[in-house]
Amino acid sequence: MSFPDADTCRTLDNRDPLRPWRDAFRLPDGVIYLNGNSLGPLPKAVPPRLEKTVLTDWSIGLTKSWNAAGWFGLPARVGGRIAPLIGAHPHEVIMADTVSANLFKLAAAACRLRPERHIILAAEDDFPTDLYMMQGLTDFMAGDKRLVTVPRTGLAKAVDGDTALVLVSHVHYVSADIADMAAVTRAAQQKGALILWDLSHSAGAVPVDLTAAGADFAVGCGYKYLNGGPGAPAFVYAAERHHETVRQPLTGWFGHARPFAFNARYEPAAGMTKLLTGTTGILGAAALDAALDVFDRVDMALAREKSLALSSLFIDALDSDLSEYGFTLASPREGARRGGHVTIRHPHGYQIVQALIDHGVIGDFRAPDYMRFGFAPLYLGYSDVHQAVERIRTVMDSGLWRAPHYGVRKTVT
Amino acid sequence: MSFPDADTCRTLDNRDPLRPWRDAFRLPDGVIYLNGNSLGPLPKAVPPRLEKTVLTDWSIGLTKSWNAAGWFGLPARVGGRIAPLIGAHPHEVIMADTVSANLFKLAAAACRLRPERHIILAAEDDFPTDLYMMQGLTDFMAGDKRLVTVPRTGLAKAVDGDTALVLVSHVHYVSADIADMAAVTRAAQQKGALILWDLSHSAGAVPVDLTAAGADFAVGCGYKYLNGGPGAPAFVYAAERHHETVRQPLTGWFGHARPFAFNARYEPAAGMTKLLTGTTGILGAAALDAALDVFDRVDMALAREKSLALSSLFIDALDSDLSEYGFTLASPREGARRGGHVTIRHPHGYQIVQALIDHGVIGDFRAPDYMRFGFAPLYLGYSDVHQAVERIRTVMDSGLWRAPHYGVRKTVT
């Protein structure tokens, strides 16, 4: 298939019903931002909300704002707004801490719910912090539980009667492969195990239906497709059937039934509130809350359709206009199996990503040779994909990526 | 002693070398804010910093800002700036998560350092989240460790050969009593136990010298006297001698030696970085960083002296002008034993605090009958104390606090 020309892409943009949403974001001039899977761009709703939070609620309202400005209610409010994006009920989701901390809480809770079992099963190539947190947890539990990792595709088969918990990312952070949530959940539960989904690369990007899948637990990220800002608060999901029995070890005062009674004895709050730990960081929470405004009105089925159209266009270019440069596709070709980003490989991927960034195409690099490009449908158009492909061609044809300064890997990329 | 008149207080303010710092804060008009021990007011340095963080670093720099705008370095940078306020070396302090989460990390680390001991010893009336986190931790460790609480004054005597860790607040959240850091640390260590100080009500308010005391660990709060904003990030301290051996269970990717190598195996970073867990919340971190600007230039000995002068003035008023209303002092009368706030008791404390808030004197209430008033020296003056006392008298004389709507306690105060 041949890659469409600039005019065709412009026409597609003009017809795009989601086109007006681009105006809800502040994007830098001249840049094609294909990294919203790492850090979403700034929603225009955020600066006025932060201004209110800082100059009115903090500066004038001061401590009164915990009640008067709804600060205490933010974790439940934000969680409830994320719920429809992941097929959960509002009272099953709460905003809290980081993805990492939440993984610890839920995995520890799952271990308590399956005390006689000994294994946490995870995908061997899952996002590192998922594995690290399980290593920290099992290590800390000193022999009672252990972490077993298998290939992502082998999880369903590897569950057995000794598996307490299966932990897996719904959309894989490198390949963008989408796991079959219903099937893996069923496989885990048929053997009596619980399941914990990491939705970091899913929420706001692909359809998720935790309820239909009958999932037990989930965590997810506020700063990727939800555009909540750098290091935005994360979220936690627990199916309602677990609310009564779930117990997590990070039992801080914000998870207490009556935090301002100042009782010496911890008493877990009802529902998801018991998943909270310390004082809510209000600036990050307010920014995420404002960022969610767009999702109240976007048709997510249309958004998913457009994201796939954009990433398919990019894959088409790899097969046609970019075929000579030696890129290989590391993401599923089948749209239904592919999340919001496309990953390609190239032996000089690191240098090429750096050169592209300098030429206004922001993607990212993951060792050893993966180049990731995100196709968020709310602020990207068909012409953006066209221009990105043109710039990739320019960088490759000109050999710009061979410039010596692109050869040195920085500590952190 | 008789309470000085308004003119005397104005003269004291005019002579006060710290008076100019009041302009570094944005305070609401007509309000005397005696609650900085709960939530510090807005430093004027914060809004421009947030504007840069949001409109430049996030909006334009996007993912590049993790390096280019120093986002990755913020935990160590902010920790290093807090260090001189608590008598620590810059590399011994790092900004991270919440006080609650940090208590868990350090207490778990201490338990690993003393595996053959079984007791975490804490003060029975300490801030609830300190006790709750220890309950969550010991409960989770299923019998291996247990929490023992004793009166705050009995901690030193209660340490024995089975004590792994002593946890205690340096300044008590109700009484403002200052513990003898050197003596309690010595008592703990003489019996082979480790010590963990909670500096939430100390940092930025009273002199702290962790190094001189030989303390092992500490945590502290960013949103009280450090004025970092509602739910600001907290901080962690570990003495350098523990950096090599300390291991904490919340082993997230931001605490990894090489987070962007994406290795499957957790490998703790060197130094304090291993105390980090998930992705740093940049908005909260940037606000706290800006809030610390004032401390770079304030003479903290002068600040402490002034804080004591203000709180002594308030105590003098209790003894003279306010003596007829039945308030009793719940804080140490001796300045050297008293932190940054003063707590008084009254059978109708709840109603009186509510009525005072409506009359522009912001303090807070802690059950059953405690009224807390903070005397932060950077933005309060002698005339503020004078006016606060006048307003307390007005509220008491007029019986305004008896209005029926002050009688109903809100869920959260």
Side-chain angles (χ1 to χ4, degrees):
Chain A
M1 181 187 159
S2 144
F3 191 65
D5 62 16
D7 280 345
T8 308
C9 287
R10 256 192 300 277
T11 307
L12 288 167
D13 282 333
N14 289 336
R15 282 194 210 139
D16 171 15
L18 295 174
R19 186 73 179 168
W21 287 108
R22 189 187 187 102
D23 281 339
F25 296 88
R26 231 179 101 125
L27 294 156
D29 291 335
V31 163
I32 300 164
Y33 189 62
L34 305 180
N35 211 8
N37 48 304
S38 176
L39 171 65
L42 174 64
K44 286 182 183 165
V46 167
R49 173 63 177 273
L50 279 175
E51 190 173 313
K52 175 191 178 291
T53 301
V54 172
L55 297 184
T56 304
D57 300 344
W58 176 9
S59 176
I60 298 170
L62 287 156
T63 32
K64 283 188 280 188
S65 291
W66 281 103
N67 286 302
W71 290 349
F72 277 122
L74 273 173
R77 174 188 158 83
V78 171
R81 297 183 78 190
I82 292 169
L85 300 172
I86 57 175
H89 300 103
H91 68 286
E92 292 175 320
V93 187
I94 200 159
M95 178 194 74
D97 300 315
T98 60
V99 172
S100 299
N102 292 333
L103 284 166
F104 188 91
K105 293 183 216 171
L106 287 177
C111 288
R112 286 186 81 125
L113 290 170
R114 294 289 181 272
E116 72 293 354
R117 295 172 174 233
H118 302 96
I119 291 172
I120 295 176
L121 184 67
E124 62 190 13
D125 65 345
D126 216 327
F127 189 76
T129 213
D130 297 59
L131 304 178
Y132 299 160
M133 293 309 297
M134 296 307 108
Q135 288 163 26
L137 176 70
T138 52
D139 193 31
F140 187 66
M141 291 177 87
D144 183 45
K145 302 282 185 233
R146 62 197 175 88
L147 174 65
V148 172
T149 60
V150 298
R152 178 175 165 86
T153 49
L155 281 168
K157 272 192 187 160
V159 189
D160 66 20
D162 201 27
T163 310
L165 177 72
V166 179
L167 162 65
V168 59
S169 285
H170 179 233
V171 173
H172 192 266
Y173 81 107
V174 177
S175 70
D177 173 69
I178 303 181
D180 185 335
M181 183 175 275
V184 179
T185 298
R186 207 179 313 120
Q189 293 174 347
Q190 273 172 356
K191 297 282 167 96
L194 295 159
I195 192 144
L196 167 50
W197 288 99
D198 185 337
L199 305 178
S200 292
H201 287 267
S202 308
V206 303
V208 180
D209 198 335
L210 290 165
T211 302
D216 299 294
F217 303 118
V219 298
C221 178
Y223 57 78
K224 296 178 181 291
Y225 294 101
L226 300 183
N227 313 304
F235 64 86
V236 200
Y237 159 88
E240 194 194 63
R241 64 182 178 277
H242 295 303
H243 288 193
E244 194 65 29
T245 50
V246 84
R247 294 287 301 275
Q248 60 94 7
L250 299 176
T251 51
W253 70 319
F254 267 54
H256 195 279
R258 286 165 301 132
F260 289 83
F262 293 90
N263 292 333
R265 187 81 214 152
Y266 182 75
E267 187 192 328
M272 292 301 289
T273 304
K274 75 172 84 163
L275 271 303
L276 299 183
T277 298
T279 309
T280 302
I282 296 303
L283 302 184
L288 176 56
D289 191 30
L292 292 173
D293 286 355
V294 294
F295 293 101
D296 289 346
R297 288 169 295 151
V298 164
D299 178 335
M300 288 306 290
L302 267 186
R304 168 65 173 160
E305 196 181 299
K306 179 179 165 190
S307 170
L308 281 180
L310 296 177
S311 59
S312 297
L313 198 62
F314 184 73
I315 292 172
D316 289 345
L318 286 178
D319 293 342
S320 54
D321 290 37
L322 300 177
S323 62
E324 69 201 273
Y325 305 113
F327 296 113
T328 55
L329 182 66
S331 293
R333 199 168 278 274
E334 186 195 341
R337 294 290 312 272
R338 195 170 70 234
H341 67 275
V342 171
T343 297
I344 62 179
R345 310 182 73 159
H346 192 284
H348 301 290
Y350 178 76
Q351 289 93 326
I352 296 167
V353 163
Q354 300 312 310
L356 279 172
I357 289 173
D358 284 351
H359 289 79
V361 178
I362 318 275
D364 69 10
F365 173 78
R366 289 293 176 257
D369 60 359
Y370 295 104
M371 308 163 64
R372 295 196 306 180
F373 300 99
F375 296 93
L378 300 184
Y379 47 84
L380 291 170
Y382 298 87
S383 301
D384 294 314
V385 179
H386 189 273
Q387 274 189 59
V389 169
E390 288 298 301
R391 292 187 195 180
I392 292 173
R393 193 146 54 166
T394 301
V395 163
M396 298 310 292
D397 281 345
S398 63
L400 286 165
W401 60 270
R402 293 181 193 274
H405 63 282
Y406 294 132
V408 187
R409 259 193 223 177
K410 291 161 200 152
T411 333
V412 166
T413 56
Chain B
M1 181 186 161
S2 143
F3 190 66
D5 63 15
D7 280 346
T8 309
C9 287
R10 256 192 301 277
T11 306
L12 288 167
D13 281 333
N14 290 336
R15 283 193 207 138
D16 171 16
L18 295 174
R19 186 72 179 165
W21 287 109
R22 190 188 186 99
D23 282 339
F25 297 87
R26 229 180 102 124
L27 293 156
D29 292 335
V31 163
I32 300 164
Y33 189 62
L34 306 180
N35 211 8
N37 47 305
S38 177
L39 171 65
L42 174 64
K44 287 182 183 166
V46 167
R49 174 64 176 272
L50 279 176
E51 189 172 313
K52 176 191 177 292
T53 301
V54 172
L55 297 184
T56 304
D57 300 345
W58 175 10
S59 176
I60 297 170
L62 287 157
T63 32
K64 283 188 281 189
S65 292
W66 280 103
N67 285 301
W71 289 351
F72 277 121
L74 273 172
R77 172 185 160 82
V78 171
R81 297 182 78 189
I82 293 169
L85 299 173
I86 57 175
H89 301 104
H91 68 285
E92 293 175 319
V93 187
I94 200 159
M95 177 194 75
D97 301 313
T98 59
V99 171
S100 300
N102 292 333
L103 285 166
F104 188 91
K105 292 183 216 171
L106 288 176
C111 289
R112 287 186 80 126
L113 291 169
R114 295 289 181 271
E116 72 294 353
R117 293 172 174 233
H118 302 96
I119 290 171
I120 296 176
L121 184 68
E124 61 191 13
D125 64 345
D126 215 328
F127 189 76
T129 212
D130 297 59
L131 304 178
Y132 299 161
M133 293 309 297
M134 295 308 107
Q135 288 163 24
L137 177 69
T138 51
D139 193 31
F140 188 65
M141 291 178 86
D144 182 45
K145 302 281 185 239
R146 62 197 175 87
L147 174 65
V148 172
T149 60
V150 298
R152 179 175 165 86
T153 49
L155 281 168
K157 273 193 187 159
V159 189
D160 66 21
D162 201 27
T163 309
L165 177 72
V166 178
L167 161 65
V168 59
S169 286
H170 178 234
V171 174
H172 192 266
Y173 82 107
V174 177
S175 70
D177 173 69
I178 302 182
D180 185 335
M181 184 176 274
V184 180
T185 297
R186 206 180 313 119
Q189 293 174 348
Q190 273 172 355
K191 297 282 167 96
L194 295 159
I195 193 145
L196 167 51
W197 289 98
D198 185 337
L199 306 177
S200 292
H201 287 267
S202 308
V206 303
V208 180
D209 199 335
L210 291 165
T211 302
D216 298 293
F217 303 117
V219 297
C221 179
Y223 57 78
K224 296 177 182 291
Y225 294 101
L226 300 183
N227 313 304
F235 64 86
V236 200
Y237 158 88
E240 194 194 63
R241 64 182 178 278
H242 294 304
H243 287 193
E244 194 65 30
T245 49
V246 83
R247 293 286 301 277
Q248 59 94 5
L250 299 177
T251 52
W253 71 318
F254 267 54
H256 194 278
R258 287 166 300 132
F260 288 84
F262 292 91
N263 291 333
R265 187 82 215 152
Y266 181 76
E267 188 190 328
M272 292 301 288
T273 305
K274 76 173 83 160
L275 271 303
L276 299 183
T277 298
T279 309
T280 303
I282 297 301
L283 301 185
L288 176 55
D289 191 29
L292 292 173
D293 286 356
V294 294
F295 293 101
D296 289 346
R297 288 168 297 152
V298 164
D299 179 335
M300 288 305 292
L302 268 187
R304 167 66 173 161
E305 196 181 298
K306 179 178 166 192
S307 171
L308 280 180
L310 297 177
S311 58
S312 297
L313 199 61
F314 184 73
I315 291 171
D316 288 346
L318 285 179
D319 294 341
S320 53
D321 290 38
L322 300 177
S323 62
E324 70 203 271
Y325 304 113
F327 296 113
T328 56
L329 183 65
S331 293
R333 200 168 278 274
E334 186 193 340
R337 294 290 312 272
R338 194 171 71 235
H341 67 275
V342 171
T343 297
I344 62 179
R345 309 182 73 158
H346 192 283
H348 301 290
Y350 178 78
Q351 290 93 325
I352 296 168
V353 164
Q354 300 312 309
L356 280 172
I357 289 173
D358 285 350
H359 290 80
V361 177
I362 318 275
D364 69 10
F365 173 79
R366 291 291 176 257
D369 59 359
Y370 295 104
M371 307 163 63
R372 295 195 307 179
F373 300 100
F375 296 93
L378 300 185
Y379 48 84
L380 290 171
Y382 298 87
S383 301
D384 293 313
V385 179
H386 190 273
Q387 273 189 59
V389 168
E390 287 299 301
R391 292 188 195 180
I392 291 173
R393 192 148 52 166
T394 302
V395 163
M396 297 310 291
D397 280 346
S398 63
L400 285 166
W401 59 271
R402 294 183 193 273
H405 62 282
Y406 295 130
V408 187
R409 258 191 223 177
K410 291 162 200 151
T411 332
V412 167
T413 56

